[in-house]
Amino acid sequence: MLTWVIRRDLLLAMRRQADVLTTLFFFIIVVSLFPLGVGPEMNTLRIMAPGIVWVAALLASMLSLGRMFSNDYLDGTLEQILLSPTSLSLLVLGKMLSHWLITGVPLVLMAPVLGIQYDLPFSALVVLTLSLLLGTPILSLIGAIGAALTLGLRGGGVLVSLLVLPLYIPVLIFGAGAVEASTAGLGFEAHFSLLGAFLLASLVFAPWATAASLRISME
Amino acid sequence: MSINWYKYASPASFYFLAGKMIPYFSIAAIALLIVGLYIGFFVAPTDFQQGEAYRIIFIHVPAAWMSMFLYVVMAFWAGVGLAFNTRLSSMMATAIAPTGAMFTFIALWTGAWWGKPMWGTWWVWDARLTSELILFFLYIGFMSLQAAIDDPRRADKAGAIIALVGVVNIPIIYFSVQWWNTLHQGASVSIAQSPKMATAMLAGMLVMALAAWMYSIAMILMRARTIILERERHTAWVAELKGMTR
Amino acid sequence: MNWNSWSEFFSMGGYGFYVWGSYLVSFMCIAGEIWILLNRQRTLQQYLGQRRIKYEREKE
C-alpha cells in the first residue's frame, strides 16, 4: 500500500515535470539573489551560506506543500482513500515520502552546487548536503500537517506558511548550525543526532496528526 | 450525577454563569491594577543598577507570563474540545487566543522599550525575546487558521490540531533557540541573572500579574459569551432570551 | 515616597520616554482589545434586535 502510493505519486510527478522543476528553480533563484542583495564580499557570503541555503530550502519545500493533497482532493481520489479500509496514517506517510522524493531530494542534490557559489570548503559542502538530507524529510513530514489543515481553504497557500514556518525553526537552527559548527572546527555530531531525533519523532507523530487533520478537513 | 456536570458544560448555562462572574473579575482587575501601579511607582525603590527604567518590568514580566500560560491553557481547552467533542471547550480556546496574542505583543513591545535604555538597542536576538516572537507567530497562525475556516466545527478541530502541535513544539523551539543563542555568544545580552530584587519590587510585580490574570479571565469570559451568542443565534434559548417566545 | 515633584515623576530619572512609551502602548492595546470586543457585541445585539422587530411584526 505504501509503495503503491509512492509509485503513483512519482508517476504523476513524472507527468508534470514542470512542477518539480519550478520548486528546484525557486530554490536556485532565492539562493542566487542573496549575493545581489548583500554584496559580493566572499568572506561575508561564506559565513551566511549555510543559513541562506537552509532558509531557501525551507521556503522551497513549503511552497510545494499545497500540491501534496490538493490534486487528490480536487479529483476525488482523497475521498476514496478516506473511505478505503487501509490505515490512513500509512497512506499519508506514503504521500509525505513521495513529497520528499519529489521536492526534497532535488534540493539536497542541488545544494553542493549552490554551496560552491558561496565558496564553501569541501568539508562544509559535505556537511551541508548531509544536514539537508537529514532535515528535508522533517520539512515534508511537519509541512503535511499544515497542508492537510488548510486543504480547500481560500488563501491556503499563505496560511500554510504562517502555520508551518514557526514549526520549521528547530530544523533550521540545527541544520544551518551543523555547517557552521563544522567550519568553525567544532563537532557537528550533536547537531546531526538532534536532527535525527527530530526526524524520528516527526516520523511517529506527523502521519498520525496529518491523518486526523485530513479527516477534519474532509468532513 | 453526570447530568449536573453537563448542565454547566452546555453553552446556554455557561452563558448565564459567565455573565454573573464577569463583574467580579473586572472589578478585581481594576482594583489590583491600581494597587499594582501604586506599588510599582510609589513604593518600589529606584533600582541602583537600572535606575527608573526598570519600572517597565511591572508590565513586561506579567505580560510575558500570561502570554506563555494562556497558550498552554488554550491548547488544553482545544485538546479537550477535540477529544470529547465538547463545543464549549473549543469556544473557550477560540476566546483565549486574542488575549494571549495581545499579551505576547505587549511583552515584545515593552521588552524592546526596556532593552533600548539598558542594552542600547531596541532588539537583541536573545533566547527569551526570540522565543516570545515565535510564540506570537504561533498565536497568529492559530487565529488566522480559525478565521479562514467558515464552518465553526471544522475551525474548532483544525485549530485544536495546530494548537496541540504548537504546544508540543514550544519546548523544542525554546531549547533550540537557547542552543543557537549560546553558540553565537557576543551578540546576546543575558537577562537571566537579574540582580536581587527588593521585596516591594517583587510585590508590585506579583500584584500586577494577578491583575493580568483577572483581566484575562474577564476578557475571555466576555469573548466566550459573545462567541456563544454568535454561534447559537438561531437556537431556541437565544430567541427566548431576546423575548421571542414561541 | 520616591518623587519630590510631578516633573520628577514624569521624567523617570531620564528614562521617561521609555517607561511611559511602554505603559502608554500597553494600555492602548488593552483599550483596543476591549473596544474591538464591545464592537463585536454591539453588531451581534443589533442583528438580534432586528430579528426581534421582524418577529414582532410577524406576530401581529
Side-chain angles (χ1 to χ4, degrees):
Chain A
M1 201 64 202
L2 193 66
T3 47
W4 175 78
V5 176
I6 296 174
R7 205 178 301 149
R8 176 177 163 276
D9 277 12
L10 289 181
L11 197 70
L12 284 174
M14 287 308 285
R15 293 210 188 121
R16 277 191 234 117
Q17 285 167 359
D19 283 357
V20 181
L21 289 176
T22 324
T23 312
L24 186 60
F25 275 106
F26 173 83
F27 179 58
I28 296 169
I29 286 177
V30 170
V31 174
S32 310
L33 278 181
F34 271 88
L36 299 172
V38 180
E41 177 53 50
M42 264 308 172
N43 285 326
T44 336
L45 288 180
R46 209 175 294 124
I47 296 167
M48 293 172 62
I52 292 171
V53 174
W54 258 100
V55 169
L58 245 58
L59 294 176
S61 171
M62 185 206 80
L63 272 182
S64 56
L65 282 176
R67 281 201 305 271
M68 198 189 264
F69 300 113
S70 65
N71 287 334
D72 288 349
Y73 173 67
L74 289 177
D75 68 11
T77 317
L78 201 57
E79 220 161 323
Q80 296 299 316
I81 291 177
L82 278 172
L83 290 173
S84 74
T86 42
S87 143
L88 183 58
S89 304
L90 202 65
L91 283 156
V92 162
L93 185 65
K95 297 247 73 86
M96 290 160 164
L97 289 177
S98 50
H99 177 263
W100 178 65
L101 288 172
I102 294 162
T103 59
V105 172
L107 301 186
V108 176
L109 297 177
M110 203 62 202
V113 183
L114 296 174
I116 289 169
Q117 274 192 323
Y118 283 78
D119 193 29
L120 283 180
F122 179 72
S123 60
L125 284 179
V126 173
V127 178
L128 177 67
T129 314
L130 286 177
S131 73
L132 279 166
L133 189 67
L134 259 176
T136 44
I138 310 176
L139 303 182
S140 299
L141 286 163
I142 297 177
I145 304 174
L149 284 175
T150 56
L151 193 61
L153 295 182
R154 59 199 136 78
V158 190
L159 194 57
V160 89
S161 66
L162 267 179
L163 297 179
V164 155
L165 285 179
L167 304 176
Y168 280 176
I169 288 167
V171 184
L172 169 68
I173 288 176
F174 289 107
V179 187
E180 276 172 42
S182 87
T183 39
L186 304 164
F188 50 83
E189 290 81 6
H191 293 82
F192 273 18
S193 48
L194 277 165
L195 276 179
F198 290 159
L199 179 59
L200 286 180
S202 42
L203 259 178
V204 174
F205 290 111
W208 175 70
T210 310
S213 311
L214 273 181
R215 285 220 174 82
I216 289 166
S217 296
M218 297 291 291
E219 253 172 26
Chain B
M1 288 312 278
S2 61
I3 299 151
N4 210 9
W5 162 252
Y6 276 111
K7 193 184 147 214
Y8 287 102
S10 101
S13 43
F14 178 83
Y15 180 85
F16 295 109
L17 188 68
K20 279 185 206 132
M21 276 150 55
I22 287 169
Y24 297 107
F25 285 112
S26 311
I27 291 166
I30 294 169
L32 284 166
L33 180 71
I34 293 168
V35 175
L37 287 177
Y38 178 77
I39 297 175
F41 280 103
F42 296 104
V43 179
T46 308
D47 190 82
F48 76 100
Q49 265 184 330
Q50 308 185 14
E52 307 295 352
Y54 93 92
R55 290 184 200 278
I56 295 173
I57 65 161
F58 293 121
I59 196 140
H60 173 75
V61 175
W65 282 346
M66 281 320 287
S67 68
M68 289 180 262
F69 182 71
L70 283 178
Y71 193 89
V72 178
V73 176
M74 183 184 87
F76 170 77
W77 282 120
V80 170
L82 185 68
F84 302 108
N85 211 13
T86 42
R87 282 174 304 156
L88 185 59
S89 325
S90 304
M91 289 183 202
M92 280 301 279
T94 311
I96 290 170
T99 303
M102 188 210 64
F103 274 118
T104 320
F105 177 77
I106 290 182
L108 285 171
W109 179 276
T110 52
W113 284 61
W114 185 26
K116 180 65 182 166
M118 288 302 113
W119 306 323
T121 52
W122 293 103
W123 183 262
V124 284
W125 289 97
D126 163 84
R128 291 188 190 193
L129 278 175
T130 313
S131 309
E132 194 72 19
L133 182 66
I134 297 165
L135 184 66
F136 188 59
F137 294 153
L138 290 176
Y139 271 119
I140 298 294
F142 176 85
M143 281 158 63
S144 17
L145 178 65
Q146 290 210 320
I149 304 175
D150 293 325
D151 171 26
R153 288 307 291 148
R154 183 181 164 188
D156 284 347
K157 289 178 179 171
I161 296 234
I162 204 70
L164 289 173
V165 171
V167 92
V168 169
N169 266 279
I170 282 176
I172 301 173
I173 292 173
Y174 184 71
F175 162 73
S176 347
V177 169
Q178 201 122 42
W179 171 299
W180 160 82
N181 195 246
T182 44
L183 269 183
H184 301 78
Q185 273 297 342
S188 72
V189 182
S190 177
I191 46 174
Q193 341 58 348
S194 47
K196 205 164 158 30
M197 248 195 270
T199 327
M201 294 180 188
L202 196 66
M205 219 162 75
L206 290 177
V207 173
M208 286 296 275
L210 269 176
W213 267 82
M214 295 301 132
Y215 168 80
S216 304
I217 295 174
M219 276 314 278
I220 289 162
L221 289 180
M222 269 166 77
R223 196 176 289 109
R225 258 167 71 98
T226 315
I227 293 170
I228 289 171
L229 215 54
E230 276 172 0
R231 289 204 189 167
E232 312 235 315
R233 57 176 186 259
H234 298 299
T235 57
W237 74 270
V238 174
E240 206 171 305
L241 181 74
K242 294 290 151 194
M244 292 179 267
T245 41
R246 301 269 153 185
Chain C
M1 198 53 108
N2 293 315
W3 324 97
N4 298 317
S5 67
W6 280 108
S7 63
E8 206 175 291
F9 178 68
F10 285 117
S11 81
M12 277 286 147
Y15 293 120
F17 176 66
Y18 301 105
V19 174
W20 298 122
S22 305
Y23 276 86
L24 187 74
V25 171
S26 303
F27 283 112
M28 271 163 57
C29 284
I30 290 171
E33 194 196 3
I34 295 172
W35 187 74
I36 290 170
L37 183 59
L38 290 180
N39 235 1
R40 190 171 166 185
Q41 282 178 341
R42 201 162 49 231
T43 327
L44 183 66
Q45 293 299 344
Q46 268 167 9
Y47 165 83
L48 289 172
Q50 261 159 15
R51 240 184 49 190
R52 167 100 198 249
I53 293 166
K54 221 171 115 189
Y55 166 79
E56 298 283 350
R57 224 178 271 146
E58 275 166 15
K59 212 162 75 170
E60 274 162 18

